[in-house]
Amino acid sequence: SSSSISTAGSGNRADLEREQQGRVELRERYLRSLFAMAGHTVHFTMYERVNVSASFDASDIDILNFQVSNLQTPLGVHREALLRCSDIISYTFEL
Amino acid sequence: TTKRSVQPPAERPGERRMAEMKKLYGVGAAKIQAMETAMQLAFDRNCDEKQPKYWPVIPLKL
Amino acid sequence: MSEWQRKNPLEWQTYVNKEVKVTAAEKHEYKGWVLTIDPVSANIVLGKLMEDGKISVSVILGHAVKEVEIGNEGDDEMKEQLAHLFMPEESKAYGQ
């Protein structure tokens, strides 16, 4: 019963379509936010009070890894890096 | 000459993924898949070219 | 999986264009207007207008969300400015 798909009864096509439409709107906006973030400096708040910043390049579609450049860490700079989304609490950028 | 397979053609991964996308996104599936493909291509290409390493090396969580 | 991550798209949509306070892991707190929630990761995208006219976008990862409290209904001016931020008309092409 935790799956959002299964909550829409098989007889209720309208409910399923509303849910699909909602998922499309939410996902499209999120993907657009990722494209908008490309090339911007992003500040990452990670677990254990670790704070870093980097230029965002791309994400995998499962939102598990962010590929970044010029990563500024407390211990130094890395020209290219991958961040695990499971290490990140939040990220912030300006438009 | 070559023996003809009686097996049905194997389901292709791309078709399977599209079926899942349809279930999740309905008529919007193709649009979402196009955007996802663009993002994933950029990710894969950059990872190939730049060989980024995980930072930190050991996960902070779990 | 947390309660937040298990919500369905229609439940997440009730947060869009509302001002919220998000409490996250390690007691971090965020306030802003909900622009979207990614249905794959449950990440919450918040927008905030800055004094210099820029827009600050903060995203809280779905796995780190502890609590989401709804504050004000979006006032119309704020809605206008933020609601279209990542909509097709305003966005640049995503292909490369």
Side-chain angles (χ1 to χ4, degrees):
Chain A
S1 66
S2 68
S3 161
S4 52
I5 279 286
S6 64
T7 59
S10 56
N12 206 333
R13 195 180 174 80
D15 278 359
L16 177 63
E17 283 177 1
R18 253 172 3 110
E19 188 173 302
Q20 288 171 336
Q21 183 55 34
R23 191 180 281 109
V24 168
E25 286 169 18
L26 292 168
R27 181 66 166 166
E28 179 173 9
R29 279 198 189 195
Y30 185 70
L31 290 168
R32 286 185 186 278
S33 80
L34 290 178
F35 288 113
M37 185 161 75
H40 286 268
T41 298
V42 182
H43 299 274
F44 296 91
T45 299
M46 305 175 82
Y47 282 92
E48 313 293 345
R49 304 277 154 183
V50 174
N51 289 287
V52 300
S53 63
S55 173
F56 174 80
D57 292 322
S59 170
D60 58 19
I61 58 172
D62 299 316
I63 322 297
L64 297 176
N65 301 286
F66 286 165
Q67 180 254 319
V68 302
S69 314
N70 192 28
L71 173 69
Q72 319 259 339
T73 82
L75 298 174
V77 179
H78 298 264
R79 236 160 58 86
E80 308 293 344
L82 282 177
L83 302 179
R84 298 174 192 86
C85 289
S86 57
D87 284 342
I88 301 169
I89 293 173
S90 70
Y91 59 87
T92 300
F93 62 102
E94 285 186 9
L95 287 176
Chain B
T1 59
T2 54
K3 224 196 289 179
R4 260 229 162 134
S5 170
V6 291
Q7 298 281 94
E11 193 182 17
R12 282 177 289 174
E15 284 171 9
R16 187 197 169 91
R17 177 154 159 71
M18 194 58 213
E20 281 164 10
M21 293 291 288
K22 275 254 165 65
K23 206 166 88 178
L24 286 171
Y25 298 103
V27 292
K31 175 171 72 175
I32 297 300
Q33 197 170 34
M35 294 181 74
E36 288 187 348
T37 301
M39 179 55 70
Q40 186 71 49
L41 278 176
F43 181 88
D44 291 344
R45 187 192 57 215
N46 289 343
C47 286
D48 281 352
E49 284 175 9
K50 301 172 176 186
Q51 300 283 313
K53 303 280 189 295
Y54 275 114
W55 191 94
V57 176
I58 309 288
L60 289 169
K61 190 83 192 306
L62 305 172
Chain C
M1 254 207 202
S2 69
E3 195 190 327
W4 174 255
Q5 289 169 294
R6 281 197 305 264
K7 286 188 185 297
N8 73 43
L10 298 177
E11 292 176 291
W12 281 319
Q13 274 193 313
T14 62
Y15 293 85
V16 172
N17 290 335
K18 305 261 170 62
E19 191 177 33
V20 298
K21 186 177 98 176
V22 179
T23 308
E26 299 187 353
K27 298 203 168 80
H28 291 279
E29 285 190 357
Y30 305 86
K31 269 187 170 177
W33 301 82
V34 176
L35 302 176
T36 192
I37 294 142
D38 177 35
V40 172
S41 60
N43 290 359
I44 305 174
V45 182
L46 300 181
K48 213 188 279 184
L49 284 177
M50 311 287 278
E51 284 179 11
D52 60 5
K54 285 190 173 175
I55 294 161
S56 168
V57 178
S58 291
V59 181
I60 303 98
L61 284 276
H63 62 75
V65 171
K66 297 293 178 210
E67 197 185 357
V68 185
E69 291 172 69
I70 295 188
N72 298 322
E73 188 77 28
D75 70 70
D76 289 346
E77 193 192 344
M78 185 68 72
K79 260 188 190 167
E80 270 309 298
Q81 297 204 57
L82 293 178
H84 300 288
L85 191 56
F86 298 123
M87 290 310 281
E89 314 84 71
E90 274 82 2
S91 288
K92 290 179 222 107
Y94 51 81
Q96 12 214 316

